[in-house]
Amino acid sequence: MKKNVYLFGAGKAEGRATDKNLLGGKGANLAEMNRIGLPVPAGFTITADYCNRWNELGTEKAIEELKPEVEKGISHIEEIMGAKFGDRENPLLVSVRSGARVSMPGMMDTVLNLGLNEDTVAGLAKKSGNERFAWDSYRRFIQMYGDVVMGMKPESKEDEDPFEVIIDKIKKEKGVELDTELTTDDLQKLVARFKKAVKEVTGNEFPTDPWEQLWGAIGAVFGSWNNSRAIYYRKMNGIPHHWGTAVNVQSMVYGNMGENSATGVAFTRDSATGENIFNGEYLVNAQGEDVVAGIRTPQEITLEGSRRWAKLQNISEEERKEKYPSLEEVMPEVYKQLFDIQKKLEEHYKDMQDLEFTIQEGRLWLLQTRNGKRTSAAEVRIAMELLEEGKIDEKTAITRVNANRLDELLHPEFDKSALEEATIISKGLPASPGAATGRIVFFADDAETWKAKGEKVVLVRIETSPEDLSGMDAAEGILTARGGMTSHAAVVARGMGKCCVSGAGGIRVNYKERKMVAEGKEYKEGDWISLNGTTGEVYEGKVETIEPKMSGNFGKLMNLCDKYTRMNVRTNADTPKDAKVARDFGASGIGLCRTEHMFFEGDRIKAVREMILADDEKGRRKALDKLLPMQRGDFEGIFEAMDGLPVTVRLLDPPLHEFVPQDEKSQADMAKELGVSPEEVFNKVESLHEVNPMLGHRGCRLGNTYPEITEMQARAIIEAALNCKKRGIKALPEIMVPLIGTKEELKMQEEIIRSTAEKVFEERNDTVDYMVGTMIEIPRAALTADEIAKTAEFFSFGTNDLTQMTFGYSRDDVGKFLPIYLEKNLLEHDPFQVLDQTGVGQLVEIGTQKGRSTRPELKVGICGEHGGEPSSVKFCHRVGMNYVSCSPFRVPVARLAAAQAAIEENK
Ligand code: ADP
Ligand code: MG
Ligand code: MG
């Protein structure tokens, strides 16, 4: 027969810490604490496996099956605690507690003081010599049991708990404020009124038989696994429904026996900063959740913490000592014991612990321990300090940090308390993390001029285009009404490490009147708003931000990662400034330098437009000659910043229409500048129009139809590299052709590049090493990678386009249906954020394998947005890539994920 109940108590236990799947986190750790000799009230755990069985069998049959084991469990507790369940002289009371594999705070239910009735309450009073305590326990029990088991807990937060209403009423009658001020008489009255309320609301008498109470509570805890709160929480956090919760039945210990009793929670380190400092809160003469319930002000456990707290509250030392003394002062002996125990717990679990304790008449009991939740900053600090203290090894330290949250350390953030008071006016996609606050502007040039005047601005656009680049750079943050996670705004903002909320469908932007409407309210140019790029929330007004500090531990962690990583981490950078930022974050090269962004710098856009408007090759060459020195200069700057490291430069990629003005006025301006008629400009712009530009005249299709563009870019790259060489700077250019679908396309581009390079070498009488490779971003390229690798010296998977073309989702239009797809579970993740390993991933694998079948030494990387997303980075490792490339601010995230992938592989 299957064992369903596991006993613990008096320094022994049938379970242990590693039994979390079977006993739940709480049960496994209660067992473990017994094993290491900590004072834990005796009890037993009914397995989480039984949760499903209970709900399948139905209450009656389940009780019949479980009865022998549960009865044995109760006898076990009775023996150790020297009391009897249901006995009128010496009653044993128990708590019935839920506990799943992972903690689900506040999701499921617990009942305390179970076993009380009119008889046992008298026994408890006599045995303890404390009548008030006995009745206080009884009224607590009726309340919890009524709420949890008999279904009296109100559904919504707005509705009042009927028991709380009665307590408030009695306190008013008595003219007192605190529960602790109620006398035995009052509590007896309370119990009578509680029972009456139970009868009125449920139609049933409150059960008096302790066994009936026990089975009721066990059933309620198993049932609570399926309450709507718990189901919702599991969905949010991806916890499988079949796990189930365990039930812990444990002898009560009483923190409510008077002034020498107390209850509290403690952390072995600071969960916000990670500082190695014991801390926590407690309450005298209290039970269970009183500490967190906020009825009374909890007190600090340590003297140091207490003093710090008083200072923040503006409370004098005298007042603190009198009203809010620390446990260290009030019960120095118990404090010392608790201090030693928390140390022992951390030593044992080798991680920061969050523990619950109760002091019964000067005697300390431990009721729970678990790995404490913490901020990302604390996570890094604790991992590195535990490593330094010799408690964990390097690999463990690396895997302790959640790569997804590392972002938090790199961007400014909102002050928590300021955020609580702010009003949310819209919600969009968390396109680029961080916090931004500034005054609304609707045009990129306004962003620049306002910034020049010393104003902080937020750029609000329906969507952004490459023309807005400098304005985006000038803004504190960017908000767009349209566009997904890989929209222009999102990609560029992430690259800049700038806060961005994209696709906030609830706002309407009116450029003409320079205003936007959100939640029915108008916001004009100059009004303050704030963006949370980590959550996608948009706030009215100014919300205070704080700058993050890059702690020394963070750098240490990064260095440690390099020791275990097999893949390199490069960056996507288009400017020397970005390249430098990324290099400081540890990038080992540039994996994607987009040349088109350079076309917008300063007034060079004029030459670009001249090139586009030219009627023939001659005209184009004339304009390209003007661009050549500018691009050469840009490349030199970037090669210099990346001295000694490889730089992958992508040839011109976007459709040409993105470079020409779309509205009448700008077209007229442009005509004037170029000395042509407005009609001519208009007609040319019209002729560039495409029904589906993403699949149109772009990428290598430009370079193959206008070879002079590729020629100019290749020349600029090679000349820049030679110039650098002269100055003692080592440039390692890798020239990358975008949007290849056939081997012929690449072959033609390669010939242009190589012949241009040869020409330059001859002219300069000098050479440099360079490579020619391609992006793999069209499914056909992945499928014919063996042919393409005959020419390509390297591959870089452009997974943004590859995802777009594999799914057939337009990157710029996904905002309309993707959120609904995610909500309806048609997709698990946004495939533009998290690489779709099943589908797109296959193409990546096929492409890599086929490519290497032709050219075993083929260098393979990824340069889509996925290069900075942890689960995708791990996938790239498994596929055998040489590197991933991501925006500068994601470099540390990718470095960590790459190291974790290597460590996981060797396990
Ligand atoms: P949660 O999982 O929500 O923290 P718990 O089962 O840990 O719920 O219990 C709620 C509160 O009751 C906690 O403060 C806990 O310490 C307290 N508690 C639970 N069991 C006992 C017990 N046997 N004796 C005294 N207090 C208890
Ligand atoms: Mg708890
Ligand atoms: Mg692309």
Side-chain angles (χ1 to χ4, degrees), residues 592 650 653 694 698-699 738-739 775-777 798-802 804-805 811 863:
L592 176 63
R650 180 179 69 184
D653 184 49
M694 273 296 185
R698 56 174 285 226
L739 223 67
M775 290 190 73
I776 303 288
E777 51 188 336
T799 48
N800 294 350
D801 267 314
L802 192 60
Q804 166 169 266
M805 288 187 237
R811 268 155 76 181
C863 64

Side-chain angles (χ1 to χ4, degrees), residues 26 95 97 110 112 250-253 288-289 356 367-368:
K26 200 179 286 168
S95 65
R97 320 169 65 186
T110 289
L112 303 183
Q250 189 178 23
S251 167
M252 282 301 299
V253 288
E289 314 278 38
E356 291 175 4
L367 289 165
Q368 192 172 330

Side-chain angles (χ1 to χ4, degrees), residues 1 255 312 456:
M1 234 182 52
L312 284 170
K456 285 189 165 195

Side-chain angles (χ1 to χ4, degrees), residues 2-14:
K2 203 171 168 196
K3 185 173 169 65
N4 299 307
V5 171
Y6 287 71
L7 311 179
F8 61 82
K12 290 205 191 84
E14 293 179 335

Side-chain angles (χ1 to χ4, degrees), residues 686-718:
E686 278 297 284
S687 76
L688 289 173
H689 174 81
E690 289 175 308
V691 175
N692 197 337
M694 273 296 185
L695 303 176
H697 194 189
R698 56 174 285 226
C700 69
R701 299 160 204 172
L702 290 171
N704 278 330
T705 47
Y706 302 140
E708 53 278 11
I709 299 179
T710 302
E711 237 175 73
M712 181 281 280
Q713 292 203 294
R715 178 173 278 275
I717 295 165
I718 299 294

